[in-house]
Amino acid sequence: NWFYWMINFGSFFSTLWIPVLLKQYGPSVAFAVPGILMGIAVIIFWFGRKDYVNVPPSRDNNEGFSQILWYSLTNWSKKIRGEHLFDVAKAKYSEVSIEGSKAVLQIMKVFIAISVFWALFDQSSSSWVLQAEQMDLNVLGMKFESSQIGALNPLMVMGLIQLCSFWLYPMVEKIFHTTFTPLKKMASGMFIAAFSFVIIAVFQYLLDSGMKLSVAWQFVPYLIITVAEVFISITGLEFAYTQAP
């Protein structure tokens, strides 16, 4: 949670100020500033190199996921009813490697779906920005750039991380008398994300019909997709770390 909070702390300021630099000084400065800051970050990271635990890579024992998958597929006929596909490989590979490959396969199933979520999520920095250009960018007496509206996402993430961890997740478990597992969180996030695009579609229909809308209306879909992000992204990082062999 703290790792993700810090990412969005930086993202908020960059999303807010880079469009201003682009407008006032052009793309050379707008690209240079994050490039310089990334260089500084790399230097800081390099100075801390002695504080990290460096585990040397293990030798390739030819018992990786791809080898076990290939062996199992090419020896499909030897599979016994009720067995896992990879159990066929027990004739050649170790039990540890086979169990690890089974875990990788399960993780892959989950992350295929998460890839679809990110494909949709990144529309918020493309098609949603184009929609914002069609809307009234004056909010509370301030004129915003269309690409600045995306700063709502990291700002909301920083608040929602705490809200979900200490209030929402425990409340859901208490109401439904069940453990809100990582898979349940990620599945819920998928449905929540889809709803945000329904709202964006309604906005676009109204805009195409000639109605003038304030960009402040985009606050609603940004809030919804940010909730989905917290459900999926942070949980997905934790899920991959704990489930990977």
Side-chain angles (χ1 to χ4, degrees), residues 149-235:
I149 309 304
L152 286 169
N153 170 252
L155 182 64
M156 292 174 181
V157 166
M158 289 188 285
L160 286 171
I161 285 175
Q162 315 304 324
L163 189 66
C164 289
S165 297
F166 299 111
W167 180 73
L168 183 60
Y169 294 158
M171 185 187 71
V172 170
E173 291 183 342
K174 185 176 181 180
I175 293 175
F176 295 99
H177 304 288
T178 184
T179 302
F180 204 18
T181 63
L183 288 177
K184 289 178 181 176
K185 291 176 186 175
M186 288 187 280
S188 301
M190 297 286 183
F191 285 101
I192 293 170
F195 185 58
S196 69
F197 281 88
V198 173
I199 297 175
I200 285 291
V202 171
F203 289 168
Q204 194 60 48
Y205 174 80
L206 295 174
L207 290 168
D208 292 342
S209 300
M211 184 178 291
K212 192 67 175 177
L213 295 175
S214 169
V215 76
W217 281 104
Q218 280 197 341
F219 176 90
V220 178
Y222 268 111
L223 175 61
I224 294 171
I225 203 167
T226 302
V227 172
E229 180 188 1
V230 172
F231 273 42
I232 294 172
S233 186
I234 300 174
T235 308

Side-chain angles (χ1 to χ4, degrees), residues 69-88:
L69 175 62
W70 177 252
Y71 182 89
S72 301
L73 291 174
T74 54
N75 291 273
W76 182 283
S77 59
K78 299 178 183 179
K79 180 179 178 295
I80 301 173
R81 180 187 287 267
E83 274 190 342
H84 191 281
L85 171 63
F86 287 165
D87 287 335
V88 175

Side-chain angles (χ1 to χ4, degrees), residues 22-230:
L22 176 63
K23 185 175 182 179
Q24 293 187 358
Y25 302 104
S28 58
V29 173
F31 276 107
V33 169
I36 292 169
L37 291 174
M38 182 60 74
I40 294 172
V42 171
I43 292 171
I44 294 171
F45 188 81
W46 183 80
F47 273 113
R49 67 193 184 283
K50 294 181 180 179
D51 295 320
Y52 299 115
V53 177
N54 293 299
V55 180
S58 59
R59 290 171 176 257
D60 184 5
N61 58 4
N62 294 317
E63 292 199 1
F65 175 80
S66 58
Q67 289 97 330
I68 291 175
L69 175 62
W70 177 252
Y71 182 89
S72 301
L73 291 174
T74 54
N75 291 273
W76 182 283
S77 59
K78 299 178 183 179
K79 180 179 178 295
I80 301 173
R81 180 187 287 267
E83 274 190 342
H84 191 281
L85 171 63
F86 287 165
D87 287 335
V88 175
K90 288 180 179 178
K92 184 177 180 181
Y93 299 100
S94 68
E95 184 74 26
V96 172
S97 297
I98 291 171
E99 290 304 314
S101 295
K102 288 179 182 178
V104 170
L105 189 63
Q106 294 302 319
I107 293 171
M108 286 173 65
K109 292 177 182 177
V110 173
F111 279 91
I112 286 173
I114 289 181
S115 298
V116 176
F117 164 75
W118 283 114
L120 289 170
F121 178 88
D122 284 337
Q123 296 298 312
S124 63
S125 58
S126 55
S127 61
W128 290 26
V129 175
L130 295 176
Q131 183 183 80
E133 291 177 356
Q134 303 175 50
M135 306 172 91
D136 182 3
L137 293 169
N138 290 287
V139 180
L140 300 176
M142 294 182 291
K143 176 70 178 292
F144 289 91
E145 296 294 322
S146 58
S147 53
Q148 286 182 306
I149 309 304
L152 286 169
N153 170 252
L155 182 64
M156 292 174 181
V157 166
M158 289 188 285
L160 286 171
I161 285 175
Q162 315 304 324
L163 189 66
C164 289
S165 297
F166 299 111
W167 180 73
L168 183 60
Y169 294 158
M171 185 187 71
V172 170
E173 291 183 342
K174 185 176 181 180
I175 293 175
F176 295 99
H177 304 288
T178 184
T179 302
F180 204 18
T181 63
L183 288 177
K184 289 178 181 176
K185 291 176 186 175
M186 288 187 280
S188 301
M190 297 286 183
F191 285 101
I192 293 170
F195 185 58
S196 69
F197 281 88
V198 173
I199 297 175
I200 285 291
V202 171
F203 289 168
Q204 194 60 48
Y205 174 80
L206 295 174
L207 290 168
D208 292 342
S209 300
M211 184 178 291
K212 192 67 175 177
L213 295 175
S214 169
V215 76
W217 281 104
Q218 280 197 341
F219 176 90
V220 178
Y222 268 111
L223 175 61
I224 294 171
I225 203 167
T226 302
V227 172
E229 180 188 1
V230 172

